[in-house]
Every structure is written in structure tokens, then in C-alpha cells.
Amino acid sequence: TIGFAGSFRSAGFYLAGLVCVLFWGSRSFRLQRAEQRVAQATLTAVEAELAHERSERERLQAELLVVQRMDSLGRLAGAFSHEFNNQLMAIRIHAELLENSLPAGAPQRVDVDQIQATTSAAADLTARLLAFSRPTRGSEPPADIAAVVRRSVVTLRHLMTEKTPVA
């Protein structure tokens, strides 16, 4: 009986040890599952952050492209304005030469004065365009649209006849 009891006791300890291993093993398994869930949640959060940063980078690249295009347009406007201003100065000089060659009371002086006024207005507009194309923009006063239209109407009246269709 002692041998049986001893073997029973050893079997009991064995079973108790087995239960402890199973309990702690399952607890360890549960901890591993919890750690896996935390790791998965962390990984998901990192992936979401990377996706957000990627989309932010793409947005900033698109914005940079727009800024570069605007810079190119500004440079083009500056080059155009410079060349156009050169043409205007040639017209102005020829108008002054024509005015100096006309007699004092000649009726063509009105037309020459109109040419000079129009070239001055156009030179002012090109100066504004040049100011826009420069990296540092000064505080330019707003254009007086009414004055521009009035000057244009005077010019157009000289160019139009009664048969010119106006839409």
C-alpha cells in the first residue's frame, strides 16, 4: 500500500505539475495572442501613418509643380512684356518723329497724340506685367479699368467706320 500510495502521490504531483504547465502555458499562449494583437494594431497604425505621409508627400509634390508652373508663366510674362515694351518704344519714337515733322496746326496731330497716349497706356500695362513677373512684387495700385476702357474707346472710334460690325 505504501508503494501504491507513493506512486499515487507521485502521479498526483505529476498531474499537478501537468496542470500547472497547462495553466501557465495557456496563460503564456494568451499573452502571446494579446502581444500579437498589440503588434498587429501597432503595425496597422504605422501603415496608416505611412499612407497618410505618402499622400501628404504627393499633395506637396503636386503643389510644388503648380508653383513651378506659375514661376515659368511669370518668367514668360516677363520676357513677353520686355519684348512688347521694346516694340512700344519704337512706335512711340516714330510718333514723336511724326509729331515733330507736322506743322503746328495740322489735324493729324490729334491722331499722333492718340498714338502717344495709347502707347503710354500700353507701356504702363507692360510695366505692371513686368512687376507681376518679378519675384518680389511691389505694392502696385489697382488698374483703373474705366480709364483703360475710355482710352480704348477713343482709339477704336478712330479705327472703326460706320460699316464696322460690333457684336
Side-chain angles (χ1 to χ4, degrees):
T1 62
I2 293 178
F4 178 74
S7 67
F8 182 71
R9 229 181 299 158
S10 65
F13 284 129
Y14 175 75
L15 285 175
L18 187 60
V19 168
C20 283
V21 167
L22 288 175
F23 173 75
W24 286 107
S26 68
R27 182 173 181 206
S28 173
F29 178 74
R30 284 192 304 248
L31 285 175
Q32 287 176 353
R33 285 293 280 168
E35 289 171 353
Q36 285 177 348
R37 284 192 295 265
V38 168
Q40 184 63 37
T42 304
L43 181 61
T44 303
V46 167
E47 287 173 344
E49 182 66 25
L50 284 174
H52 174 71
E53 287 178 7
R54 196 175 306 119
S55 66
E56 180 69 12
R57 182 178 178 177
E58 289 171 358
R59 184 189 67 77
L60 289 173
Q61 284 176 336
E63 192 174 311
L64 176 64
L65 185 61
V66 168
V67 168
Q68 288 172 336
R69 285 181 183 167
M70 291 300 292
D71 182 54
S72 296
L73 282 175
R75 290 174 190 261
L76 181 64
F80 175 79
S81 297
H82 183 70
E83 291 301 317
F84 188 70
N85 201 33
N86 289 343
Q87 299 296 320
L88 285 173
M89 290 304 113
I91 294 170
R92 242 177 154 171
I93 289 169
H94 282 90
E96 285 180 20
L97 290 172
L98 182 61
E99 184 180 38
N100 291 338
S101 69
L102 291 174
Q108 293 87 1
R109 281 188 172 268
V110 175
D111 295 331
V112 172
D113 289 340
Q114 185 60 41
I115 292 170
Q116 289 177 334
T118 303
T119 56
S120 292
D124 186 41
L125 288 174
T126 57
R128 288 175 189 247
L129 192 56
L130 278 169
F132 172 76
S133 69
R134 292 187 186 113
T136 55
R137 294 182 180 103
S139 58
E140 291 289 325
D144 183 8
I145 301 297
V148 172
V149 170
R150 281 192 299 272
R151 286 191 300 263
S152 298
V153 166
V154 171
T155 303
L156 290 174
R157 281 192 186 142
H158 290 292
L159 297 175
M160 294 173 50
T161 65
E162 291 179 13
K163 295 182 181 180
T164 305
V166 178

